[in-house]
């Protein structure tokens, strides 16, 4: 029932029956009240004024859910059953999502520990809910009796029933017990995998410090070692001297910077080998997870975990996905080969014929060199136009131009924030009022979740004919403060990331669904990344950038020539990057696809697929899959990013490209796409938005039309054109 948690028309009669429940307000966050100035707890929840408040937060969620279960057991009407089920989901989600956000971002150990306890306790309760026959039977009754009058209500009943059955509720007790155990094992293994990545990022010590380019030294930790110095002639002895070096922590962001910008090949090699061989403990964790997921799928009557998870996805089957990926792999191979040869030839020109081949630790460095040379790009110059305050102005511009609303900072009540740097924003429409709230946690700090992510604190839902629960979201980034500047400046890739995550936030903040179950990004997995990919285009369009991207000291508007250079550099090796994403997707499908009778070696699988679908050499002893966390969160679903890339390219070309900031464009995006969340079939939403030519029906599933994406990347020739349709 609550599978999204484990990841991410009412009539008068129904309203009257629900009034006793609606008065029970301790789960309504104060964040929806911008005028409140009295003391509160984290995210506006009164219970979370102290770490121990998480205990009561969980207990009251369970108490409230129990009341609703009792209500449902009285067999009210079908509409009331779905409403009550959705309120249970909303109540439990408040705890799950708040605990997860706290676990990942709160600087106080006490809060993190209590959030961990709350997370474990609520997950135990989720297993009770997912195996509750009273709820399951009520959902089946609601689905069968034909009294659900809206498409969204009927869709909610269908999805709830399928979610229950994916939890094994229809199985005999012995099999159900095993399914529950496997689900709990998988949850623990996913958490362990993530913790291992944080606890064992890998380190490389480099001496002397001069081997590290100055522009990335602020990312690294200075270290020192003693060396024997020059003889003191007068004393006839030697004096020890300190030599300065740097320690590279090979977590992905730092590793990429080192590989991009370090001329010393041996430094790049050491960093690459270490960064792609840790954490060792995840070999066993991933193997256990693959086995647990496969056993679960087989108990549920599926050939593979990939088949199991695709039941409500557009693709519908692993066969459809793999066929799509192999088709794309063939289409990009020739251009990807050309790109690889170009980079290899550059290395040979720079290093001489002694350089036999392009090594995996070379690609980022020589690619960056070629892009900078071809387009005269200087990373410091680029970043000078993207100060973080101006980039936030860019988000405000999007909201104003597209949706006619303001995106403003609002004050927080005492106790609401988890760190002094956190901002609280509100989207406010002049006619509709407040539409939703967003926390921005922008800067890197010790102990914080290391990547970028979107957290749903509250999903939107219709409470009554006159009241709507406003969505509350949090965006988490890890932008770095420079040691020598008070102004944080982003590179262009970071700007795209900011707009990407904001696309997720807008999907949630602008959705207006009857049920929290469908709010915002609670959609089919292979549709979820579409709005976020679409909003990346706004970070690349000069007509948009010139309105907010200004030099941090002079105020000069970003030159159009610079934007063209950025986009030209981005497109230079587009086929290579697309090929890499196809490779990742194929690894994901294979790891969670059909299993052979003999145990499989994941290292061999990854090496084999890399040789088939990538130009990058496989280096023995490296294991990219042991810290690619998308294999956990998107298990058998990583292909969704490629789906989204294609969908977004078509939407941009057909709807946005002519006038990206047009209010007409914004109205269409909001009323035909964003407002529905998951309340309608994704293919119907996409077709209604741009017309035919965005999806294809293939072997019982749906795949994107790739034409716009490949045209944009200049990869569509006459040979491939018929395949893209």
């Amino acid at each position: 029932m609550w599978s999204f948690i484990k990841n991410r028309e009412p009539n008068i009669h129904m309203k009257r029956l629900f009034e006793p429940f609606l008065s029970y307000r301790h789960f309504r966050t104060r964040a929806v009240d911008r005028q409140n100035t009295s003391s509160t707890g984290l995210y506006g929840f009164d219970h979370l004024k102290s770490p121990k408040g998480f205990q009561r937060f969980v207990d009251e969620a369970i108490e409230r859910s129990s009341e609703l279960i009792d209500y449902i057991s009285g067999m009210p009407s079908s509409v009331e059953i779905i409403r009550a089920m959705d309120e249970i989901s909303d109540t439990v989600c408040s705890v799950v999502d708040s605990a997860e956000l706290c676990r990942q971002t709160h600087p106080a150990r006490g809060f993190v520990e209590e959030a961990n306890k709350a997370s474990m306790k609520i997950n135990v309760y989720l297993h009770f809910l997912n195996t509750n026959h009273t709820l399951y039977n009520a959902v089946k009754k609601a689905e069968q009796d034909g009294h659900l009058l809206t498409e969204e209500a009927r869709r909610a009943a269908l999805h709830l029933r399928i979610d229950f059955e994916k939890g094994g509720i229809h199985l005999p007790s012995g099999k159900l017990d095993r399914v529950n155990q496997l689900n709990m094992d998988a949850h623990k293994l996913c958490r362990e995998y993530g913790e291992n990545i944080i606890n064992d990022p890998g380190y490389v010590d480099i001496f002397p410090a001069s081997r590290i380019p100055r522009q990335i030294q602020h990312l690294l930790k200075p270290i020192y070692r003693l060396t024997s110095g020059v003889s003191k002639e007068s004393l006839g002895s030697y004096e020890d001297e300190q030599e300065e070096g740097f320690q590279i922590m090979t977590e992905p962001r730092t590793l990429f910077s080192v590989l991009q910008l370090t001329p010393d090949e041996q430094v790049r090699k050491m960093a690459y080998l270490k960064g792609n061989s840790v954490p060792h403990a995840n070999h066993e964790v991933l193997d256990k997870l693959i086995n647990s997921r496969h056993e679960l799928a087989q108990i549920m009557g599926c050939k593979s975990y990939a088949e199991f998870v695709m039941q409500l996805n557009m693709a519908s089957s692993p066969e459809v996905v793999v066929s799509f990926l192999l088709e794309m792999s063939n289409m990009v191979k020739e251009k990807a080969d050309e790109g690889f040869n170009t980079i290899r030839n550059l290395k040979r020109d720079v290093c001489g014929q002694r350089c036999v081949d392009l090594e995996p630790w070379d690609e980022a460095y020589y690619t960056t060199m070629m892009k900078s040379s071809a387009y005269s790009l200087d990373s410091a110059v680029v970043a000078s136009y993207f100060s973080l305050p101006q980039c936030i102005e860019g988000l405000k511009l999007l909201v104003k131009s597209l949706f006619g609303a303001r995106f403003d900072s609002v004050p927080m009540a005492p106790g609401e924030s988890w760190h002094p740097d956190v901002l609280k924003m509100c989207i406010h429409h002049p006619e509709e009022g407040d539409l939703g709230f967003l926390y921005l946690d922008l800067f890197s700090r010790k102990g914080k979740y290391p990547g970028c992510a979107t957290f749903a604190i509250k999903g939107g839902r219709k409470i009554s004919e006159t009241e709507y629960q406003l969505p509350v979201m949090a965006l988490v980034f890890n932008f770095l403060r420079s040691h020598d500047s008070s102004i944080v400046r982003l590179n262009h890739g970071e700007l795209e990331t900011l707009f990407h995550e904001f696309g997720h936030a807008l999907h949630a903040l602008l959705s207006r669904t009857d049920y929290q179950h469908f709010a915002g990004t609670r959609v089919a997995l292979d549709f979820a990344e579409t709005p976020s990919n679409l909003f990346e285009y706004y970070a690349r369009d000069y007509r948009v950038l010139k309105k907010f991207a200004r030099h941090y000291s002079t105020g000069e508007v970003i030159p159009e020539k610079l934007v063209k250079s950025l986009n030209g550099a981005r497109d230079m090796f587009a086929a290579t990057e697309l090929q890499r994403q196809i490779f990742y997707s194929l690894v994901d499908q294979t790891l969670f696809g059909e299993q052979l009778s003999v145990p499989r070696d994941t290292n061999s699988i990854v090496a084999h697929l890399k040789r088939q679908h990538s130009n990058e050499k496989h280096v023995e002893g490296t294991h990219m899959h042991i810290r690619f966390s998308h294999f956990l969160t998107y298990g058998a679903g990583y292909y969704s990013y490629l789906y989204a890339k294609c969908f977004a390219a078509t939407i941009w070309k057909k709807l946005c490209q002519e006038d990206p900031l047009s209010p007409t464009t914004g109205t269409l995006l909001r009323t035909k796409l964003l407002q529905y969340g998951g309340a309608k079939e994704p293919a119907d939403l996409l077709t209604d938005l741009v017309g035919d030519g965005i999806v294809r029906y293939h072997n019982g599933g749906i795949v994107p039309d790739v034409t716009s994406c490949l045209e944009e990347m200049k990869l569509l020739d006459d040979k491939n054109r018929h395949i893209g349709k």
Side-chain angles (χ1 to χ4, degrees), residues 325-343:
L325 294 174
L326 293 177
E327 179 181 274
M328 288 203 79
S329 182
N330 289 331
M331 284 191 279
V332 304
K333 185 178 188 311
E334 184 177 336
K335 287 293 178 65
D337 289 348
E338 289 177 10
F340 178 84
N341 291 332
T342 300
I343 303 168

mmCIF file with all atom_site columns, all heavy atoms in Angstrom, residues 325-343:
data_model
loop_
_atom_site.group_PDB
_atom_site.id
_atom_site.type_symbol
_atom_site.label_atom_id
_atom_site.label_alt_id
_atom_site.label_comp_id
_atom_site.label_asym_id
_atom_site.label_entity_id
_atom_site.label_seq_id
_atom_site.pdbx_PDB_ins_code
_atom_site.Cartn_x
_atom_site.Cartn_y
_atom_site.Cartn_z
_atom_site.occupancy
_atom_site.B_iso_or_equiv
_atom_site.pdbx_formal_charge
_atom_site.auth_seq_id
_atom_site.auth_comp_id
_atom_site.auth_asym_id
_atom_site.auth_atom_id
_atom_site.pdbx_PDB_model_num
ATOM 1   N N   . LEU A 1 325 ? 16.880 0.251  -24.586 1.00 0.00 ? 325 LEU A N   1
ATOM 2   C CA  . LEU A 1 325 ? 18.277 0.594  -24.278 1.00 0.00 ? 325 LEU A CA  1
ATOM 3   C C   . LEU A 1 325 ? 19.222 0.104  -25.372 1.00 0.00 ? 325 LEU A C   1
ATOM 4   O O   . LEU A 1 325 ? 20.155 0.824  -25.768 1.00 0.00 ? 325 LEU A O   1
ATOM 5   C CB  . LEU A 1 325 ? 18.669 -0.002 -22.927 1.00 0.00 ? 325 LEU A CB  1
ATOM 6   C CG  . LEU A 1 325 ? 17.955 0.562  -21.699 1.00 0.00 ? 325 LEU A CG  1
ATOM 7   C CD1 . LEU A 1 325 ? 18.328 -0.226 -20.448 1.00 0.00 ? 325 LEU A CD1 1
ATOM 8   C CD2 . LEU A 1 325 ? 18.280 2.040  -21.500 1.00 0.00 ? 325 LEU A CD2 1
ATOM 9   N N   . LEU A 1 326 ? 19.006 -1.108 -25.867 1.00 0.00 ? 326 LEU A N   1
ATOM 10  C CA  . LEU A 1 326 ? 19.868 -1.636 -26.920 1.00 0.00 ? 326 LEU A CA  1
ATOM 11  C C   . LEU A 1 326 ? 19.699 -0.841 -28.208 1.00 0.00 ? 326 LEU A C   1
ATOM 12  O O   . LEU A 1 326 ? 20.671 -0.593 -28.941 1.00 0.00 ? 326 LEU A O   1
ATOM 13  C CB  . LEU A 1 326 ? 19.560 -3.111 -27.156 1.00 0.00 ? 326 LEU A CB  1
ATOM 14  C CG  . LEU A 1 326 ? 19.909 -4.059 -25.998 1.00 0.00 ? 326 LEU A CG  1
ATOM 15  C CD1 . LEU A 1 326 ? 19.494 -5.486 -26.330 1.00 0.00 ? 326 LEU A CD1 1
ATOM 16  C CD2 . LEU A 1 326 ? 21.404 -3.999 -25.668 1.00 0.00 ? 326 LEU A CD2 1
ATOM 17  N N   . GLU A 1 327 ? 18.473 -0.422 -28.477 1.00 0.00 ? 327 GLU A N   1
ATOM 18  C CA  . GLU A 1 327 ? 18.202 0.414  -29.645 1.00 0.00 ? 327 GLU A CA  1
ATOM 19  C C   . GLU A 1 327 ? 18.975 1.731  -29.545 1.00 0.00 ? 327 GLU A C   1
ATOM 20  O O   . GLU A 1 327 ? 19.637 2.162  -30.503 1.00 0.00 ? 327 GLU A O   1
ATOM 21  C CB  . GLU A 1 327 ? 16.704 0.668  -29.731 1.00 0.00 ? 327 GLU A CB  1
ATOM 22  C CG  . GLU A 1 327 ? 16.255 1.545  -30.882 1.00 0.00 ? 327 GLU A CG  1
ATOM 23  C CD  . GLU A 1 327 ? 14.742 1.748  -30.848 1.00 0.00 ? 327 GLU A CD  1
ATOM 24  O OE1 . GLU A 1 327 ? 14.035 0.900  -31.382 1.00 0.00 ? 327 GLU A OE1 1
ATOM 25  O OE2 . GLU A 1 327 ? 14.287 2.755  -30.258 1.00 0.00 ? 327 GLU A OE2 1
ATOM 26  N N   . MET A 1 328 ? 18.921 2.360  -28.381 1.00 0.00 ? 328 MET A N   1
ATOM 27  C CA  . MET A 1 328 ? 19.648 3.623  -28.191 1.00 0.00 ? 328 MET A CA  1
ATOM 28  C C   . MET A 1 328 ? 21.153 3.403  -28.250 1.00 0.00 ? 328 MET A C   1
ATOM 29  O O   . MET A 1 328 ? 21.902 4.217  -28.801 1.00 0.00 ? 328 MET A O   1
ATOM 30  C CB  . MET A 1 328 ? 19.262 4.266  -26.859 1.00 0.00 ? 328 MET A CB  1
ATOM 31  C CG  . MET A 1 328 ? 17.880 4.852  -26.821 1.00 0.00 ? 328 MET A CG  1
ATOM 32  S SD  . MET A 1 328 ? 17.696 6.122  -25.544 1.00 0.00 ? 328 MET A SD  1
ATOM 33  C CE  . MET A 1 328 ? 18.465 7.527  -26.317 1.00 0.00 ? 328 MET A CE  1
ATOM 34  N N   . SER A 1 329 ? 21.613 2.304  -27.682 1.00 0.00 ? 329 SER A N   1
ATOM 35  C CA  . SER A 1 329 ? 23.048 2.006  -27.699 1.00 0.00 ? 329 SER A CA  1
ATOM 36  C C   . SER A 1 329 ? 23.565 1.911  -29.128 1.00 0.00 ? 329 SER A C   1
ATOM 37  O O   . SER A 1 329 ? 24.635 2.452  -29.460 1.00 0.00 ? 329 SER A O   1
ATOM 38  C CB  . SER A 1 329 ? 23.311 0.698  -26.945 1.00 0.00 ? 329 SER A CB  1
ATOM 39  O OG  . SER A 1 329 ? 24.698 0.414  -26.903 1.00 0.00 ? 329 SER A OG  1
ATOM 40  N N   . ASN A 1 330 ? 22.811 1.265  -29.978 1.00 0.00 ? 330 ASN A N   1
ATOM 41  C CA  . ASN A 1 330 ? 23.211 1.155  -31.385 1.00 0.00 ? 330 ASN A CA  1
ATOM 42  C C   . ASN A 1 330 ? 23.204 2.516  -32.074 1.00 0.00 ? 330 ASN A C   1
ATOM 43  O O   . ASN A 1 330 ? 24.074 2.811  -32.906 1.00 0.00 ? 330 ASN A O   1
ATOM 44  C CB  . ASN A 1 330 ? 22.273 0.197  -32.121 1.00 0.00 ? 330 ASN A CB  1
ATOM 45  C CG  . ASN A 1 330 ? 22.484 -1.246 -31.709 1.00 0.00 ? 330 ASN A CG  1
ATOM 46  O OD1 . ASN A 1 330 ? 23.592 -1.629 -31.320 1.00 0.00 ? 330 ASN A OD1 1
ATOM 47  N ND2 . ASN A 1 330 ? 21.436 -2.056 -31.792 1.00 0.00 ? 330 ASN A ND2 1
ATOM 48  N N   . MET A 1 331 ? 22.233 3.355  -31.726 1.00 0.00 ? 331 MET A N   1
ATOM 49  C CA  . MET A 1 331 ? 22.121 4.666  -32.373 1.00 0.00 ? 331 MET A CA  1
ATOM 50  C C   . MET A 1 331 ? 23.267 5.601  -32.011 1.00 0.00 ? 331 MET A C   1
ATOM 51  O O   . MET A 1 331 ? 23.670 6.435  -32.822 1.00 0.00 ? 331 MET A O   1
ATOM 52  C CB  . MET A 1 331 ? 20.776 5.302  -32.031 1.00 0.00 ? 331 MET A CB  1
ATOM 53  C CG  . MET A 1 331 ? 19.617 4.709  -32.799 1.00 0.00 ? 331 MET A CG  1
ATOM 54  S SD  . MET A 1 331 ? 18.094 5.671  -32.638 1.00 0.00 ? 331 MET A SD  1
ATOM 55  C CE  . MET A 1 331 ? 17.501 5.107  -31.070 1.00 0.00 ? 331 MET A CE  1
ATOM 56  N N   . VAL A 1 332 ? 23.798 5.494  -30.802 1.00 0.00 ? 332 VAL A N   1
ATOM 57  C CA  . VAL A 1 332 ? 24.838 6.441  -30.371 1.00 0.00 ? 332 VAL A CA  1
ATOM 58  C C   . VAL A 1 332 ? 26.251 5.900  -30.571 1.00 0.00 ? 332 VAL A C   1
ATOM 59  O O   . VAL A 1 332 ? 27.217 6.651  -30.442 1.00 0.00 ? 332 VAL A O   1
ATOM 60  C CB  . VAL A 1 332 ? 24.655 6.828  -28.881 1.00 0.00 ? 332 VAL A CB  1
ATOM 61  C CG1 . VAL A 1 332 ? 23.268 7.383  -28.638 1.00 0.00 ? 332 VAL A CG1 1
ATOM 62  C CG2 . VAL A 1 332 ? 24.941 5.666  -27.952 1.00 0.00 ? 332 VAL A CG2 1
ATOM 63  N N   . LYS A 1 333 ? 26.378 4.624  -30.906 1.00 0.00 ? 333 LYS A N   1
ATOM 64  C CA  . LYS A 1 333 ? 27.707 4.000  -30.906 1.00 0.00 ? 333 LYS A CA  1
ATOM 65  C C   . LYS A 1 333 ? 28.688 4.701  -31.844 1.00 0.00 ? 333 LYS A C   1
ATOM 66  O O   . LYS A 1 333 ? 29.827 5.004  -31.456 1.00 0.00 ? 333 LYS A O   1
ATOM 67  C CB  . LYS A 1 333 ? 27.598 2.520  -31.281 1.00 0.00 ? 333 LYS A CB  1
ATOM 68  C CG  . LYS A 1 333 ? 28.939 1.776  -31.171 1.00 0.00 ? 333 LYS A CG  1
ATOM 69  C CD  . LYS A 1 333 ? 28.803 0.321  -31.506 1.00 0.00 ? 333 LYS A CD  1
ATOM 70  C CE  . LYS A 1 333 ? 30.095 -0.425 -31.204 1.00 0.00 ? 333 LYS A CE  1
ATOM 71  N NZ  . LYS A 1 333 ? 31.311 0.204  -31.744 1.00 0.00 ? 333 LYS A NZ  1
ATOM 72  N N   . GLU A 1 334 ? 28.266 4.968  -33.064 1.00 0.00 ? 334 GLU A N   1
ATOM 73  C CA  . GLU A 1 334 ? 29.192 5.549  -34.037 1.00 0.00 ? 334 GLU A CA  1
ATOM 74  C C   . GLU A 1 334 ? 29.714 6.907  -33.570 1.00 0.00 ? 334 GLU A C   1
ATOM 75  O O   . GLU A 1 334 ? 30.927 7.163  -33.603 1.00 0.00 ? 334 GLU A O   1
ATOM 76  C CB  . GLU A 1 334 ? 28.494 5.685  -35.390 1.00 0.00 ? 334 GLU A CB  1
ATOM 77  C CG  . GLU A 1 334 ? 29.414 6.186  -36.500 1.00 0.00 ? 334 GLU A CG  1
ATOM 78  C CD  . GLU A 1 334 ? 28.722 6.237  -37.850 1.00 0.00 ? 334 GLU A CD  1
ATOM 79  O OE1 . GLU A 1 334 ? 27.733 5.498  -38.049 1.00 0.00 ? 334 GLU A OE1 1
ATOM 80  O OE2 . GLU A 1 334 ? 29.174 7.025  -38.711 1.00 0.00 ? 334 GLU A OE2 1
ATOM 81  N N   . LYS A 1 335 ? 28.809 7.781  -33.108 1.00 0.00 ? 335 LYS A N   1
ATOM 82  C CA  . LYS A 1 335 ? 29.244 9.103  -32.645 1.00 0.00 ? 335 LYS A CA  1
ATOM 83  C C   . LYS A 1 335 ? 30.059 8.992  -31.357 1.00 0.00 ? 335 LYS A C   1
ATOM 84  O O   . LYS A 1 335 ? 31.006 9.758  -31.146 1.00 0.00 ? 335 LYS A O   1
ATOM 85  C CB  . LYS A 1 335 ? 28.024 10.002 -32.416 1.00 0.00 ? 335 LYS A CB  1
ATOM 86  C CG  . LYS A 1 335 ? 27.373 10.470 -33.706 1.00 0.00 ? 335 LYS A CG  1
ATOM 87  C CD  . LYS A 1 335 ? 28.295 11.414 -34.474 1.00 0.00 ? 335 LYS A CD  1
ATOM 88  C CE  . LYS A 1 335 ? 27.683 11.863 -35.804 1.00 0.00 ? 335 LYS A CE  1
ATOM 89  N NZ  . LYS A 1 335 ? 26.489 12.673 -35.647 1.00 0.00 ? 335 LYS A NZ  1
ATOM 90  N N   . ALA A 1 336 ? 29.715 8.047  -30.495 1.00 0.00 ? 336 ALA A N   1
ATOM 91  C CA  . ALA A 1 336 ? 30.486 7.861  -29.269 1.00 0.00 ? 336 ALA A CA  1
ATOM 92  C C   . ALA A 1 336 ? 31.896 7.374  -29.597 1.00 0.00 ? 336 ALA A C   1
ATOM 93  O O   . ALA A 1 336 ? 32.879 7.804  -28.975 1.00 0.00 ? 336 ALA A O   1
ATOM 94  C CB  . ALA A 1 336 ? 29.780 6.872  -28.345 1.00 0.00 ? 336 ALA A CB  1
ATOM 95  N N   . ASP A 1 337 ? 32.008 6.488  -30.579 1.00 0.00 ? 337 ASP A N   1
ATOM 96  C CA  . ASP A 1 337 ? 33.337 6.015  -31.009 1.00 0.00 ? 337 ASP A CA  1
ATOM 97  C C   . ASP A 1 337 ? 34.160 7.178  -31.555 1.00 0.00 ? 337 ASP A C   1
ATOM 98  O O   . ASP A 1 337 ? 35.366 7.296  -31.263 1.00 0.00 ? 337 ASP A O   1
ATOM 99  C CB  . ASP A 1 337 ? 33.188 4.946  -32.099 1.00 0.00 ? 337 ASP A CB  1
ATOM 100 C CG  . ASP A 1 337 ? 32.653 3.628  -31.561 1.00 0.00 ? 337 ASP A CG  1
ATOM 101 O OD1 . ASP A 1 337 ? 32.606 3.468  -30.322 1.00 0.00 ? 337 ASP A OD1 1
ATOM 102 O OD2 . ASP A 1 337 ? 32.270 2.766  -32.383 1.00 0.00 ? 337 ASP A OD2 1
ATOM 103 N N   . GLU A 1 338 ? 33.526 8.045  -32.339 1.00 0.00 ? 338 GLU A N   1
ATOM 104 C CA  . GLU A 1 338 ? 34.234 9.212  -32.885 1.00 0.00 ? 338 GLU A CA  1
ATOM 105 C C   . GLU A 1 338 ? 34.741 10.103 -31.755 1.00 0.00 ? 338 GLU A C   1
ATOM 106 O O   . GLU A 1 338 ? 35.881 10.589 -31.796 1.00 0.00 ? 338 GLU A O   1
ATOM 107 C CB  . GLU A 1 338 ? 33.300 10.012 -33.791 1.00 0.00 ? 338 GLU A CB  1
ATOM 108 C CG  . GLU A 1 338 ? 32.962 9.344  -35.106 1.00 0.00 ? 338 GLU A CG  1
ATOM 109 C CD  . GLU A 1 338 ? 31.973 10.166 -35.922 1.00 0.00 ? 338 GLU A CD  1
ATOM 110 O OE1 . GLU A 1 338 ? 31.712 11.343 -35.532 1.00 0.00 ? 338 GLU A OE1 1
ATOM 111 O OE2 . GLU A 1 338 ? 31.462 9.658  -36.934 1.00 0.00 ? 338 GLU A OE2 1
ATOM 112 N N   . GLY A 1 339 ? 33.894 10.334 -30.769 1.00 0.00 ? 339 GLY A N   1
ATOM 113 C CA  . GLY A 1 339 ? 34.299 11.166 -29.644 1.00 0.00 ? 339 GLY A CA  1
ATOM 114 C C   . GLY A 1 339 ? 35.458 10.570 -28.884 1.00 0.00 ? 339 GLY A C   1
ATOM 115 O O   . GLY A 1 339 ? 36.414 11.278 -28.510 1.00 0.00 ? 339 GLY A O   1
ATOM 116 N N   . PHE A 1 340 ? 35.400 9.276  -28.648 1.00 0.00 ? 340 PHE A N   1
ATOM 117 C CA  . PHE A 1 340 ? 36.490 8.603  -27.930 1.00 0.00 ? 340 PHE A CA  1
ATOM 118 C C   . PHE A 1 340 ? 37.801 8.724  -28.698 1.00 0.00 ? 340 PHE A C   1
ATOM 119 O O   . PHE A 1 340 ? 38.859 9.027  -28.118 1.00 0.00 ? 340 PHE A O   1
ATOM 120 C CB  . PHE A 1 340 ? 36.127 7.129  -27.726 1.00 0.00 ? 340 PHE A CB  1
ATOM 121 C CG  . PHE A 1 340 ? 37.201 6.337  -27.037 1.00 0.00 ? 340 PHE A CG  1
ATOM 122 C CD1 . PHE A 1 340 ? 37.294 6.344  -25.647 1.00 0.00 ? 340 PHE A CD1 1
ATOM 123 C CD2 . PHE A 1 340 ? 38.115 5.592  -27.761 1.00 0.00 ? 340 PHE A CD2 1
ATOM 124 C CE1 . PHE A 1 340 ? 38.291 5.618  -25.005 1.00 0.00 ? 340 PHE A CE1 1
ATOM 125 C CE2 . PHE A 1 340 ? 39.112 4.862  -27.122 1.00 0.00 ? 340 PHE A CE2 1
ATOM 126 C CZ  . PHE A 1 340 ? 39.196 4.869  -25.742 1.00 0.00 ? 340 PHE A CZ  1
ATOM 127 N N   . ASN A 1 341 ? 37.759 8.504  -29.992 1.00 0.00 ? 341 ASN A N   1
ATOM 128 C CA  . ASN A 1 341 ? 38.981 8.597  -30.803 1.00 0.00 ? 341 ASN A CA  1
ATOM 129 C C   . ASN A 1 341 ? 39.541 10.011 -30.807 1.00 0.00 ? 341 ASN A C   1
ATOM 130 O O   . ASN A 1 341 ? 40.768 10.210 -30.806 1.00 0.00 ? 341 ASN A O   1
ATOM 131 C CB  . ASN A 1 341 ? 38.689 8.134  -32.234 1.00 0.00 ? 341 ASN A CB  1
ATOM 132 C CG  . ASN A 1 341 ? 38.424 6.640  -32.310 1.00 0.00 ? 341 ASN A CG  1
ATOM 133 O OD1 . ASN A 1 341 ? 38.922 5.870  -31.489 1.00 0.00 ? 341 ASN A OD1 1
ATOM 134 N ND2 . ASN A 1 341 ? 37.625 6.224  -33.298 1.00 0.00 ? 341 ASN A ND2 1
ATOM 135 N N   . THR A 1 342 ? 38.657 11.001 -30.799 1.00 0.00 ? 342 THR A N   1
ATOM 136 C CA  . THR A 1 342 ? 39.109 12.395 -30.757 1.00 0.00 ? 342 THR A CA  1
ATOM 137 C C   . THR A 1 342 ? 39.862 12.680 -29.463 1.00 0.00 ? 342 THR A C   1
ATOM 138 O O   . THR A 1 342 ? 40.930 13.319 -29.473 1.00 0.00 ? 342 THR A O   1
ATOM 139 C CB  . THR A 1 342 ? 37.900 13.345 -30.875 1.00 0.00 ? 342 THR A CB  1
ATOM 140 O OG1 . THR A 1 342 ? 37.230 13.107 -32.105 1.00 0.00 ? 342 THR A OG1 1
ATOM 141 C CG2 . THR A 1 342 ? 38.346 14.800 -30.806 1.00 0.00 ? 342 THR A CG2 1
ATOM 142 N N   . ILE A 1 343 ? 39.318 12.212 -28.345 1.00 0.00 ? 343 ILE A N   1
ATOM 143 C CA  . ILE A 1 343 ? 39.972 12.437 -27.053 1.00 0.00 ? 343 ILE A CA  1
ATOM 144 C C   . ILE A 1 343 ? 41.298 11.680 -26.988 1.00 0.00 ? 343 ILE A C   1
ATOM 145 O O   . ILE A 1 343 ? 42.311 12.205 -26.511 1.00 0.00 ? 343 ILE A O   1
ATOM 146 C CB  . ILE A 1 343 ? 39.048 12.003 -25.900 1.00 0.00 ? 343 ILE A CB  1
ATOM 147 C CG1 . ILE A 1 343 ? 37.723 12.743 -25.967 1.00 0.00 ? 343 ILE A CG1 1
ATOM 148 C CG2 . ILE A 1 343 ? 39.709 12.268 -24.552 1.00 0.00 ? 343 ILE A CG2 1
ATOM 149 C CD1 . ILE A 1 343 ? 36.659 12.166 -25.060 1.00 0.00 ? 343 ILE A CD1 1
#
